[in-house]
Amino acid sequence: VTTEPTHDGVDARAAHDVRAGRGVPETQDGDDVPEVWRAWGRQRPQPRGRHLDCAAAGRCSWDAQHAVAEHLRREAELGAYVAQAEAAPVIEGARTTLAALLGVPADGLAFLESASAALAAVLRAWPLGERASVAVVPTEWAPNIEAFRERGLELVELRTEEHGRVDLSHLEQLLTTSPPSFVHLTQVTSHRALLQPVAEAADLCRAAGVALWVDAAQALGHVDTATGADVVYATSRKWMCGPRGVGLLGVAPRWWDLLYVRHHVLAPADEPVVRAMESDEANVAGRVGLATSVNQFAATGPAAVWARLDEVGRQTRHALADLPGWQVVDATDAGTAITALRPTAGQDAVAARARLLSEHGILTTVSTPARAPRDLAEPMLRISPHVDCAGSDLDALAGALASC
Ligand SMILES: Cc1ncc(COP(=O)(O)O)c(C=O)c1O
């Protein structure tokens, strides 16, 4: 966030409020945030301004940054491959914890470079015949649809309820009458507050013998991702606050023997097939940094983080509910920490996002229709704070939006 280069975030924010003519925020910074979440904030650098953009990328802790830098130093000192071997226990520890979070055994987890790379890898490996199909909801993340099209898959549309949640009775019916090759759901939608009932869908799919794939890019570190899905893929950098350039793929054991992985054909017979999907050339320092982020997440307590993010989402939608010129798109209790705001007075959301950043030091994202053309008719502002979000952050955002 481009504000004064000072490490005193509170002073920098106060200076912004004064320059923006908004005086002192209604709530003093952080006073209303429980100590456990203030401590979470102290584990990482103070944002220069207000960071309300974890759905793009979260804030890496000091310890995770240190772990990355240390590994890079070890690569230079020992040689990259010796350093990688030295770091193996750390990476294997992260594999075990992450696999549990994704609901697969450790041998069913591969580290890749991004969620998209993980999807591409599983699309290459999965046993898909001629005329294979995938069932998706209209809110689906557009790059996933593109990847399915490139793979030659026929798209089948799943019916949804009012707010975009998959209609489970229609899914059950579809699985009986004309089952697709697999079902794909994005557990936490990127562009608005929408949480899919993935565990329930997994039960229905398993009973019908159809695989359920889950995009957990926005879900890992945000909600419970151990849902019983057959495939689940995610990224380090968003709600888990790990380094960029690391993605994850989990595959349930019942599919391992059916995967075709070129590397695995050449690998030692006892190498687990999903691990053989990992790239040889990789951001090993990023994986080491992610291991630290995951340990910190586990120490804080996953269930506590999930509950707090649910609360932060409610607080955000509540605080912005009656804002003139902006409409909160989803229900207050939608269950995620992502909030979408639709401009209702003809504002340009792209320009508003830019002004929030340059004039108020508030970092957000604009979701353009290209991200989900079937669901987004116009650009919308996306607000996605993490667990240390204070009432003053939301007050400042509301005040700034009044002039955007
Ligand atoms: C729902 C969803 N799926 C997939 C992705 C792609 O993740 P990556 O950039 O790690 O490939 C994103 C990224 O924003 C996302 O929000």
Side-chain angles (χ1 to χ4, degrees), residues 306-372:
W306 302 330
R308 171 64 180 167
L309 287 172
D310 181 15
E311 184 182 34
V312 163
R314 285 167 202 260
Q315 287 172 348
T316 305
R317 289 185 285 282
H318 180 73
L320 304 175
D322 298 318
L323 212 56
W326 296 92
Q327 182 200 0
V328 172
V329 172
D330 294 295
T332 304
D333 62 354
T336 87
I338 294 174
T339 294
L341 288 176
R342 174 183 292 128
T344 57
Q347 312 94 307
D348 173 350
V350 175
R353 186 260 173 197
R355 287 187 65 185
L356 283 176
L357 184 58
S358 62
E359 295 176 19
H360 303 275
I362 300 176
L363 183 65
T364 60
T365 282
V366 170
S367 302
T368 55
R371 291 177 179 225

Side-chain angles (χ1 to χ4, degrees), residues 51-139:
H51 188 299
L52 306 179
D53 204 23
C54 295
R59 289 147 53 209
C60 222
S61 70
W62 295 111
D63 285 355
Q65 293 174 44
H66 180 71
V68 171
E70 267 300 288
H71 186 78
L72 293 176
R73 187 173 67 79
R74 297 299 278 166
E75 285 187 348
E77 283 174 355
L78 302 175
Y81 296 93
V82 176
Q84 181 169 357
E86 185 190 73
V90 173
I91 294 174
E92 291 314 306
R95 188 191 303 277
T96 302
T97 312
L98 285 161
L101 286 169
L102 296 183
V104 296
D107 278 348
L109 188 118
F111 288 106
L112 289 120
E113 279 57 58
S114 63
S116 313
L119 176 61
V122 70
L123 277 169
R124 273 195 303 274
W126 202 259
L128 292 167
E130 294 279 301
R131 303 181 56 77
S133 59
V134 52
V136 295
V137 291
T139 48

Side-chain angles (χ1 to χ4, degrees), residues 199-223:
E200 292 86 339
D203 286 345
L204 295 177
C205 288
R206 197 175 318 106
V210 173
L212 174 67
W213 294 19
V214 173
D215 175 342
Q218 294 289 358
L220 180 67
H222 187 170
V223 296

Side-chain angles (χ1 to χ4, degrees), residues 55 114-117 141 144 186 188 190 215 217-218 235 237-238:
S114 63
S116 313
W141 170 250
N144 291 347
T186 291
V188 171
S190 164
D215 175 342
Q218 294 289 358
T235 174
R237 77 177 183 281
K238 296 180 188 284

Side-chain angles (χ1 to χ4, degrees), residues 119-135 147-154 180-183 211 213 255 258-260:
L119 176 61
V122 70
L123 277 169
R124 273 195 303 274
W126 202 259
L128 292 167
E130 294 279 301
R131 303 181 56 77
S133 59
V134 52
F148 297 145
R149 286 219 175 92
E150 272 175 23
R151 182 69 174 76
L153 296 175
E154 186 195 329
S181 309
F182 65 98
V183 173
W213 294 19
W255 296 97
L258 299 172
L259 300 177
Y260 172 76

